[in-house]
């Protein structure tokens, strides 16, 4: 298998084969991200993709799901994505789901008809890093979209019947806008119901614009207590389908928790119990997160 630089995939894809179809991130301007700073964005060569699929075909009877790398393969043109799907089915005929990271900007470049064609070709789940639906924060972190964009593009996924999994960054709005960020993000998700919500605690990585904001005093990371209060506030305001998953189990998170929304009250009780058990020193601490 061919991989360029460090690869990244969601925790839920731990057992999915990873197929590199792009290198890096086509946008690569978010202020908090250092994931793809050492590679230039490009499409992987056809010969490489086919060679990797031939290698995976040894296990074709056991593969029904595949995750495309890297940062946002969904930026590729619809015809390119359909061609990649054809290659996948040639070597892995049992695949039922082709999934990858997709930004709001990636979706924006596709019509509803494009999305329906991609859905029919197996692109039936996407990982969308919303991070926040709070407009001032979206602008500050240079996400490249607005709240209005998020509502419009997610409605296109809904119309095309493409399921999506949402990443949210707790702490990204700072202390002053913490609860507004949680409430406006919850409102977006309540409108365009994701299969799963994955809250991820904001980390300040070296060499990022966010680190420069911290050094200038323009962004003050939340304390551990405030991060947990924001996650509780987010969960309180979410009203998702009973089978939707709350996947708050990233290693960055202060109190890892996983549960269906049918268990929402039980999850809230656990998070509130963790907060109540924290000492003032623990609540006021600001811990450094490493890696991704």
């Amino acid at each position: 298998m061919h991989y360029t630089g460090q690869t990244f995939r969601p925790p839920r894809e731990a057992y999915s084969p990873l197929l590199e179809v792009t290198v890096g991130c086509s946008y690569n301007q978010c202020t908090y991200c250092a994931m793809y700073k050492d590679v230039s964005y490009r499409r992987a060569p056809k010969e490489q993709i086919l060679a990797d699929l031939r290698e995976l075909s040894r296990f074709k009877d056991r593969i029904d799901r595949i995750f495309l790398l890297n940062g946002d393969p969904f930026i590729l043109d619809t015809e390119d994505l359909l061609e990649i799907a054809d290659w996948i089915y040639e070597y892995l005929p049992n695949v039922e789901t082709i999934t990858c990271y997709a930004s709001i900007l990636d979706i924006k470049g596709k019509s509803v008809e494009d999305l329906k064609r991609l859905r029919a070709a197996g692109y039936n789940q996407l990982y969308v890093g919303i991070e926040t639906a709070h407009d001032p924060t979206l602008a500050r972190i240079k996400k490249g979209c607005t709240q209005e964009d998020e509502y419009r593009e997610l409605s296109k996924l809904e119309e095309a019947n493409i399921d999506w999994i949402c990443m949210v960054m707790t702490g990204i709005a700072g202390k002053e806008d913490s609860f507004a960020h949680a409430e406006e993000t919850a409102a977006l998700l309540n409108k365009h119901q994701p299969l799963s919500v994955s809250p991820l605690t904001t980390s300040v990585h070296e060499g990022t614009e966010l680190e420069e904001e911290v050094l200038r005093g323009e962004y003050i990371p939340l304390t551990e207590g405030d991060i947990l209060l924001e996650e509780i506030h987010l969960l309180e305001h979410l009203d998702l389908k009973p089978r939707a998953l709350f996947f708050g189990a990233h290693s960055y998170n202060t109190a890892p928790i996983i549960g269906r929304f049918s268990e929402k009250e039980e999850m809230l009780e656990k998070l509130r119990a963790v907060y109540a058990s924290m000492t003032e020193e623990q609540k006021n601490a600001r811990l450094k997160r490493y890696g991704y």
Side-chain angles (χ1 to χ4, degrees):
M1 301 297 290
H2 296 82
Y3 300 112
T4 306
Q6 190 171 357
T7 61
F8 301 93
R9 52 94 181 141
R12 296 178 67 189
E13 302 299 331
Y15 300 105
S16 301
L18 309 178
L19 180 67
E20 182 177 274
V21 300
T22 60
V23 174
C25 173
S26 67
Y27 182 67
N28 210 16
Q29 297 179 47
C30 299
T31 63
Y32 53 82
C33 184
M35 290 167 65
Y36 303 104
K37 299 303 182 186
D38 59 342
V39 292
S40 298
Y41 172 77
R42 60 187 182 276
R43 177 176 172 173
K46 174 181 178 179
E47 297 74 16
Q48 173 187 309
I49 297 173
L50 293 178
D52 288 346
L53 285 169
R54 282 193 292 271
E55 183 175 342
L56 286 171
S57 68
R58 294 180 296 166
F59 311 100
K60 62 183 179 182
D61 293 339
R62 296 168 16 211
I63 296 175
D64 61 4
R65 182 182 183 91
I66 191 165
F67 184 82
L68 306 185
L69 296 174
N70 221 310
D72 60 338
F74 211 65
I75 189 64
L76 294 174
D77 291 342
T78 297
E79 298 304 324
D80 291 335
L81 289 169
L82 291 172
E83 184 176 41
I84 289 170
D86 288 340
W87 298 340
I88 290 171
Y89 294 124
E90 179 180 351
Y91 291 96
L92 305 172
N94 294 332
V95 164
E96 297 175 356
T97 296
I98 304 171
T99 182
C100 63
Y101 288 127
S103 72
I104 292 296
L105 291 176
D106 299 343
I107 302 166
K108 194 173 185 178
K110 294 173 174 61
S111 67
V112 173
E113 185 57 36
D114 288 332
L115 294 172
K116 288 180 177 179
R117 293 174 66 201
L118 291 167
R119 171 66 174 81
Y123 293 89
N124 49 40
Q125 286 184 14
L126 296 173
Y127 288 84
V128 184
I130 290 296
E131 327 310 358
T132 181
H134 183 245
D135 259 332
T137 302
L138 284 168
R140 183 176 58 77
I141 65 177
K142 299 182 180 178
K143 192 64 184 172
C145 65
T146 64
Q147 181 189 100
E148 181 181 1
D149 294 329
E150 291 175 334
Y151 274 95
R152 182 182 62 250
E153 301 311 316
L154 292 175
S155 72
K156 287 164 57 178
L157 288 188
E158 189 173 30
E159 187 173 349
N161 196 30
I162 295 177
D163 290 327
W164 67 292
I165 297 161
C166 175
M167 283 80 77
V168 174
M169 294 181 69
T170 52
I172 192 63
K175 174 66 173 175
E176 183 177 347
D177 292 320
S178 175
F179 280 13
H181 151 60
E183 291 168 14
E184 292 183 33
T185 303
L188 175 71
L189 306 192
N190 293 343
K191 173 67 175 178
H192 299 294
Q193 301 261 318
L195 282 181
S196 175
V197 179
S198 297
L200 169 66
T201 301
T202 299
S203 176
V204 180
H205 293 282
E206 292 183 4
T208 61
E209 290 186 51
L210 185 61
E211 182 191 46
E212 295 175 7
E213 287 185 52
V214 172
L215 295 175
R216 293 194 301 265
E218 296 170 1
Y219 172 80
I220 300 174
L222 265 61
T223 65
E224 297 303 302
D226 285 339
I227 289 168
L228 192 49
L229 287 176
E230 183 182 296
E231 185 175 358
I232 291 169
H233 200 68
L234 172 68
L235 184 52
E236 286 174 337
H237 284 75
L238 284 170
D239 184 18
L240 303 189
K241 296 174 183 177
R243 290 294 297 165
L245 186 69
F246 190 78
F247 190 85
H250 195 281
S251 59
Y252 281 4
N253 291 6
T254 303
I257 192 166
I258 303 175
R260 301 286 177 185
F261 271 82
S262 58
E263 308 163 324
K264 174 178 170 177
E265 291 308 315
E266 290 89 336
M267 288 191 288
L268 282 169
E269 286 179 13
K270 290 177 182 177
L271 291 175
R272 290 166 182 153
V274 171
Y275 182 80
S277 70
M278 296 170 72
T279 65
E280 288 304 309
E281 183 179 2
Q282 289 170 331
K283 290 177 182 177
N284 293 327
R286 290 188 175 89
L287 302 182
K288 177 76 174 176
R289 270 85 177 170
Y290 295 93
Y292 280 98

